[in-house]
Amino acid sequence: MLRKAVETRKHYLINKLIKIGIYKKESSHLFVLTLTELEDEYNRVISIKRSKKVN
C-alpha cells in the first residue's frame, strides 16, 4: 500500500513538473528520480515562481 502511495505521488509530481515545462533535472529524466528528489525539484520551481510574482 505504501509503495502504491509513493508511485501515485511521484506520478502526480512528474505531471505537474512536465506541465510547468520541466522534463529533466540536470541530466536525469524525471521518472528515474526518487520521491524526495521530485518533491525538492517541485518545491524549488514553485518557490522561484512565487518569488517572481512578488517582484
Side-chain angles (χ1 to χ4, degrees), residues 40-54:
D40 290 346
E41 183 66 9
Y42 181 75
N43 289 331
R44 184 187 70 79
V45 170
I46 294 303
S47 177
I48 290 168
K49 284 185 166 248
R50 285 185 184 148
S51 69
K52 285 182 180 178
K53 284 184 180 180
V54 172

Side-chain angles (χ1 to χ4, degrees), residues 1 9 12-13 18 25 28 35 38 41 49 53:
M1 189 161 34
R9 180 69 177 161
Y12 171 81
L13 290 169
I18 289 171
K25 181 180 178 188
S28 299
L35 177 57
L38 288 167
E41 183 66 9
K49 284 185 166 248
K53 284 184 180 180

